[in-house]
Amino acid sequence: MTAVHLVILGRQGSGKGTQAARLVEAYSPIHVSTGDMLRAAVADGTELGRRAGALMDAGDLVGDDLINGIVAERLARSDVAEHGFLLDGYPRTPDQATAMEGFLSEAGTTLDGAVILEVPVDEVTARMLARGRVDDTEEAIRRRLDLYESETAPLLAWFADRGLLEVVDGMGDEDVVFGRLSTVIDARLSLSDAS
Ligand code: AMP
């Protein structure tokens, strides 16, 4: 099977976690989630965890050099060469995207595409409120979504400029959304196979 090289994007509450897990099942890429890697480093009390933990608690981004290094190192492992990757939570800024482009090209790989699950703000707010978590006040949700918007908008432009962006409607049944995702991914894979 062709190895996929993908980025998945989506607001909190967009169903990104669910769909990422389904993509891993269907296409078998290595799931590279920077949030998960950083949380594991914090839990293990490593040097990286100590450097990243305070920034994460404050809701700030971890520095580009640090995060680019972690991802470059992970993508250089042999399982990724064999199975491809699904990047989740990275890149977060155009600078990170440019760094990614650099180390992928050094490894002789290119991205097949960046898929964004599009779910309107009103809908993700309703979904998060319905979870009823204590940190999910309407005010806190709005702040996190605003931050996502300001972070992500320039990144979407970066992918779009390179013809890599696929906007996928994330509304509706989980199976239906997965069907839309796999349709655009399969189309991209057949394009890159043909070239
Ligand atoms: P996430 O689970 O993707 O929301 O990530 C949790 C936290 O980890 C973020 O709030 C950031 O502090 C940090 N983080 C994860 N990915 C990145 C990244 N690509 N660049 C900078 N910081 C990141």
Side-chain angles (χ1 to χ4, degrees), residues 18 36-37 39 45 47 59 76 79 90 115 133 148-149 156-157 162-163 179 186 193:
T18 305
D36 286 352
M37 289 162 86
R39 279 184 290 273
E47 169 65 23
D79 56 349
Y90 180 94
V115 289
R133 273 178 16 190
Y148 173 83
E149 232 61 52
L156 295 187
R162 287 157 183 80
D186 292 346
D193 276 355

Side-chain angles (χ1 to χ4, degrees), residues 119-160:
V119 178
V121 172
D122 285 355
E123 171 66 17
V124 293
T125 305
R127 288 184 191 179
M128 280 191 265
L129 285 173
R131 297 191 307 202
R133 273 178 16 190
V134 278
D135 59 335
D136 279 349
T137 62
E138 207 157 346
E139 168 66 24
I141 292 170
R142 190 164 345 102
R143 207 164 348 101
R144 291 207 297 272
L145 290 174
D146 283 352
L147 181 68
Y148 173 83
E149 232 61 52
S150 54
E151 246 181 37
T152 310
L155 193 59
L156 295 187
W158 192 96
F159 285 122

Side-chain angles (χ1 to χ4, degrees), residues 12 16 33-36 38-39 52 55-57 59-64 67 71 88-93 96 147 151:
Q12 270 195 314
K16 177 168 71 97
S33 158
T34 46
D36 286 352
L38 293 172
R39 279 184 290 273
L55 292 164
M56 292 168 72
D57 287 344
D60 290 333
L61 289 181
V62 171
D64 282 351
I67 203 86
V71 176
D88 184 349
Y90 180 94
R92 210 78 152 215
T93 62
Q96 290 181 10
L147 181 68
E151 246 181 37

